[in-house]
Amino acid sequence: MKDPDNHVLIGRVGKPHGIKGEVRIFAFSGDVTGLADCRKLLLSPQKKDADLREYDILRSRDQGKYVIVALSGVNSRDEAEQIRDSNVWLDRDDLPELAEDEFYWHDFEGSPVYTRLGSYLGKVSSLISSGPQDLLVIRSERGKEYMIPVCDEFVEGPDETDGRIIVSPPEGLLEINE
């Protein structure tokens, strides 16, 4: 198995496309533009602790919400069907460079979260892309879960020195989430 700490889950394999083994890949971020430029990716079944298998991308093309790719070793519709619903991973080193004020979602996971007033809420357990507004999911040590919209008005960070995220949720939002 490859080193899971050096890989980022970025999407899922969809249904086969055509009869020559091509598959559709959906990016969890909703943005497939960077995926079309990749030369290799790793796939794993959805079960936990599954081994990652590396595939070379022979060709790819952007199709709006997804990318259609031809992978090495996948030469027929039946072979493409066998990798359907697999998780798609990229090596962290293959991710595109970001602007100074941009972050990858995986940079938030596990980060400690504090309110603007200094109260500790918990750690980021996940991010949810819910269409018009992404949500930061925070789990407290007591098992409470908070969901805060990810926008500049409510979320700052993660801080480059300690990874801390500062939130300024609208009044009453934390109480609603309890």
Side-chain angles (χ1 to χ4, degrees), residues 108 110-113 120-126 137-141:
F108 284 89
S111 296
V113 180
Y120 177 71
L121 292 179
K123 292 187 176 184
V124 175
S125 62
S126 64
V137 181
I138 304 158
R139 183 166 305 274
S140 76
E141 292 172 354

Side-chain angles (χ1 to χ4, degrees), residues 113-154:
V113 180
Y114 292 83
T115 66
R116 166 91 26 229
L117 300 174
S119 298
Y120 177 71
L121 292 179
K123 292 187 176 184
V124 175
S125 62
S126 64
L127 287 131
I128 298 172
S129 181
S130 62
Q133 185 63 59
D134 298 329
L135 298 172
L136 186 68
V137 181
I138 304 158
R139 183 166 305 274
S140 76
E141 292 172 354
R142 297 181 310 245
K144 290 182 180 179
E145 191 171 81
Y146 304 99
M147 293 186 196
I148 298 178
V150 178
C151 62
D152 291 340
E153 183 179 351
F154 303 137

Side-chain angles (χ1 to χ4, degrees), residues 8-141:
V8 178
L9 180 63
I10 56 106
R12 181 153 297 131
V13 176
K15 66 182 183 177
H17 181 83
I19 60 171
K20 296 181 180 179
E22 293 180 319
V23 293
R24 295 177 184 185
I25 295 182
F26 296 88
F28 292 144
S29 69
D31 182 9
V32 297
T33 52
L35 190 55
D37 296 329
C38 294
R39 296 290 143 233
K40 66 178 180 172
L41 51 80
L42 299 123
L43 301 181
S44 72
Q46 288 188 33
K47 65 183 180 181
K48 192 172 176 129
D49 298 328
D51 284 342
L52 299 176
R53 182 168 174 208
E54 186 174 296
Y55 292 85
D56 291 325
I57 298 176
L58 304 175
R59 62 187 172 279
S60 64
R61 61 190 180 277
D62 188 338
Q63 290 291 310
K65 294 182 180 180
Y66 53 87
V67 173
I68 295 175
V69 298
L71 301 172
S72 59
V74 181
N75 301 308
S76 70
R77 187 173 186 89
D78 288 340
E79 290 173 347
E81 190 64 48
Q82 291 175 12
I83 61 170
R84 184 177 185 167
D85 295 325
S86 291
N87 289 321
V88 179
W89 303 78
L90 284 180
D91 189 298
R92 287 185 191 276
D93 298 335
D94 292 338
L95 293 172
E97 291 289 324
L98 296 175
E100 187 173 317
D101 61 340
E102 293 180 323
F103 298 94
Y104 282 111
W105 278 21
H106 65 269
D107 292 335
F108 284 89
E109 292 181 9
S111 296
V113 180
Y114 292 83
T115 66
R116 166 91 26 229
L117 300 174
S119 298
Y120 177 71
L121 292 179
K123 292 187 176 184
V124 175
S125 62
S126 64
L127 287 131
I128 298 172
S129 181
S130 62
Q133 185 63 59
D134 298 329
L135 298 172
L136 186 68
V137 181
I138 304 158
R139 183 166 305 274
S140 76
E141 292 172 354

